[in-house]
Structures are given as C-alpha cells and as structure tokens.
Amino acid sequence: MKQFDYIIAGGGAAGLTLAYLLLAHENTKKTILIIDKDDKSVNDRTWCFWEKELNLFENLVYKQWSRASFFGPSFKQTFALPPYSYKMIRGKDFYDFMKLELGKFNNLTWLKESIVGIDPQGIVKTSTETYSGNMVFNSTTLKDFQIPSKHVQFLQHFKGRFIQTEKPCFDPEIMTYMDFRIDQKGDCRFGYVLPFSPNEALVEYTIFSEQLLQPEEYDKGLDDYLHDFLKIEDYKVLEDEFGVIPMTDFPFPEKDGRIINIGISGGFAKPSTGYTFLRSQHILKKMANNLVRQKDPLADLPHQKKRFQKYDSTLLNVLKNGEHSGAQIFSDLFEKNGAQAVFKFLDEETNLAEEMKIMSSTPILAFGKAFIKTFGK
C-alpha cells in the first residue's frame, strides 16, 4: 500500500486550490497525492463570483462585468456594480494552470483513477490500487450524508450553453444576473447570461427546487428563454455545461477520523446562493497555513457566522413554504436595496442595522416565522 502525508480525493476547485496553497509554502515537503477520475482536459464548468478585491487566481479571470441587469415580475433595472466586479473563470483555464504549477513539484503525484471508497482510517481505494494517507481531504460526492428532516435541502441545478450568434445580440459589458420573466412552474427559475462579445455568451437556465428535472426539460427551458426573451433564433452551440449545487442549512460534518471534508462536501457553499469558489479560497488559505504550521487544519477557519447561518436558513424555509415565490423575494431585495447592498449582505459583511433594512424589504410575517423556526435546529 502506497503511503502519503496528504491525499486529496477529487481534483476539483477545492482540492486543487488546497494543493496549490500547500506547495506555495517553500517549507512544505509533505508528499501529496491527488486522485480524480478525469484528466481535466475539457472546459466542464465555469466559476463565477463578485468581489471588490483581487482573488488568488485573478490571472485566470476570463471576463468581468461592471454592470448587471435584473428582471423581476414587476421591475427591471441595470445596476452599476462598483466597487464590485462580477468575474468568471473557465474550468479548463484553471485546470491548465494547475497542471503547469503543480507539475513543478516532485513531492506531488496526480493520478487519473476512479475512487471507490474512503475509509476514516485514511485508506483510499480506487478501481486499481489502495493508498494510505495521514490525512485525506475529501471533495468527492462519495459520502452520502443523511440530512435530517428538520433541515431544508434545495438543489440549485442548471444547464448552460456557450453560444455564438450570426448577428450581434449581446452587450458584452452587461451581464444578466437573474431574469425571472420565464415561467416559474411552481419553482424558483431564472435565466442567466454572461456575454463575452456581441456574438458570444453563456446562457443558462437555472432552477432552485427539491428535485432535478428530466434532461429534455432543461433544453426546453433554454430554447424558450433564447427564443421568447433574448429573441435569438440563429446560433451555434460551442459547449454545454450542467451543474448541481446543494442549498441546505444542514451542517456538513467537517471530519470523520482522518477524513477532512472540503469544498461542497465540507459545507463551503453558501446555503442561500450556492456560491462556493471564492468562499473556498478564504477557508483553504487558513487551512493550508494551519497545516504548514503543524496545527489542527480545522482550527479557526473563517466559517459562516451564526447569524448568517440563520438568515440563510430563513430564506430556504420561506422558499420551501411556497407562500411567496422566489421571483418576488429576490425582486424585492434588489429593487428596494440595490445590487451593492445585496452583494454586501450575501458576502456577510453587513452590520445589524444594514441587515434589518435588508430583512424589512422581504415579506415580514413569513420571514419572521421562518427566522424563529431556525432556533429549533
């Protein structure tokens, strides 16, 4: 059985970022093994986020926008985002960068194998081999977390098409953050558009619900959105992408024996939005520093503050109740507060006074009842 100091199970954003941060410390001589079933050679996903500063992978930002449009049931507006920018990193650019950088280190091994089991004793089994690690950082979806019924669990699922049009159809300086003009079908559904040029864009059909759709329903939703609202008929599909992100107030376990959960499996995704990429950077920077200093990797991580956990849980409970539509809730938030205030709140940088103003722009009775319910969890 091959022995390593650290095994990183899953070569996605979280796993590769952790390896990069560990190896960036010159005094890190630990042996590191990354295992993933894919060779990371295709553009299988994009990561998007807003921020005021520069992030760890600023050199990989493919496109950023300083204006964002919002279309609600009763209002529409294009917001100027500064001091925020909305940014996008392509999966393939990220993977290529990681292959180049991580390939410089002799103490790192990167294997293309399928993981079939991870044992709390630090044993990782693949389809061909068994490996042992002093610590295993798990960002796979192998572990089936049993979520008690008192916790809300939604899925954010989406299908996107990278399209190229014959005629100019887009303003490349304005992205569409949420477009609720589409049929909600009893869920929370919206269009999302990231234009790269007048003739190219990523167009997504996104749903917040408890169940996934049939594959043809995503295509029908995209077809209708492109035809009915974007008024685009002639286009070529360059790439497709599909994703599923949990939106839940369940506290994912941080560890199990020698296994430390990271990324979505570690609860890094923000429950009310699903955004994970930038939050993971902040958490993993601290985790890597802890490891280099031979401290508990979970010590003093910048996890979510308790009151923001309750805010997120409140929104999920209101959405689950169904009395108020997600389209109207998000519309009220953006119309009454503006994009900067909403982004600041979602970044968990607001004070109590600002949070009360945000909350007062939502259906007070429904949110009040749901907020009180969070204290029973």
Side-chain angles (χ1 to χ4, degrees), residues 241-261:
E241 73 169 18
F242 179 79
V244 182
I245 303 170
M247 300 171 65
T248 177
D249 56 5
F250 171 68
F252 286 89
E254 291 184 319
K255 65 180 299 184
D256 181 11
R258 294 185 180 182
I259 302 172
I260 296 174
N261 296 313

Side-chain angles (χ1 to χ4, degrees), residues 162-345:
F162 291 84
I163 67 169
Q164 183 179 69
T165 61
E166 292 188 0
K167 300 177 181 179
C169 295
F170 307 103
D171 183 341
E173 303 308 314
I174 304 175
M175 57 88 63
T176 299
Y177 185 67
M178 284 178 158
D179 188 343
F180 284 108
R181 293 176 293 176
I182 63 178
D183 187 349
Q184 297 296 288
K185 299 183 184 296
D187 296 318
C188 177
R189 303 186 180 207
F190 56 91
Y192 172 79
V193 184
L194 299 180
F196 312 127
S197 74
N199 298 78
E200 291 188 359
L202 168 61
V203 181
E204 285 190 353
Y205 180 65
T206 303
I207 305 98
F208 297 170
S209 66
E210 295 180 273
Q211 301 294 329
L212 298 178
L213 306 182
Q214 293 298 314
E216 61 271 15
E217 293 181 80
Y218 298 101
D219 288 319
K220 178 66 162 56
L222 272 169
D223 290 340
D224 290 346
Y225 182 54
L226 283 159
H227 178 272
D228 297 343
F229 298 103
L230 301 187
K231 307 301 182 184
I232 296 175
E233 299 285 352
D234 298 317
Y235 63 91
K236 179 169 63 175
V237 179
L238 304 177
E239 294 177 346
D240 287 321
E241 73 169 18
F242 179 79
V244 182
I245 303 170
M247 300 171 65
T248 177
D249 56 5
F250 171 68
F252 286 89
E254 291 184 319
K255 65 180 299 184
D256 181 11
R258 294 185 180 182
I259 302 172
I260 296 174
N261 296 313
I262 61 174
I264 290 176
S265 295
F268 291 7
K270 183 168 173 63
S272 61
T273 65
Y275 282 86
T276 311
F277 188 76
L278 201 58
R279 291 167 66 88
S280 293
Q281 285 188 28
H282 298 152
I283 296 169
L284 293 170
K285 281 181 183 178
K286 178 62 176 176
M287 184 176 289
N289 285 334
N290 286 342
L291 288 165
V292 169
R293 289 164 174 74
Q294 298 184 333
K295 295 173 59 178
D296 179 353
L298 299 173
D300 303 317
L301 297 183
H303 282 312
Q304 192 173 33
K305 298 174 184 176
K306 293 290 186 183
R307 72 178 191 275
F308 286 101
Q309 291 177 1
K310 294 190 177 298
Y311 298 154
D312 282 350
S313 180
T314 296
L315 174 60
L316 292 176
N317 274 282
V318 171
L319 289 175
K320 183 177 177 63
N321 178 272
E323 183 180 348
H324 300 276
S325 71
Q328 193 60 57
I329 291 168
F330 286 108
S331 294
D332 287 344
L333 285 171
F334 277 87
E335 182 177 13
K336 297 176 182 178
N337 300 283
Q340 290 96 336
V342 174
F343 284 176
K344 184 178 181 181
F345 175 66

Side-chain angles (χ1 to χ4, degrees), residues 307-308 311 345 350-359:
R307 72 178 191 275
F308 286 101
Y311 298 154
F345 175 66
T350 47
N351 57 41
L352 284 172
E354 291 170 319
E355 291 151 26
M356 291 305 100
K357 182 179 183 299
I358 291 278
M359 291 299 181

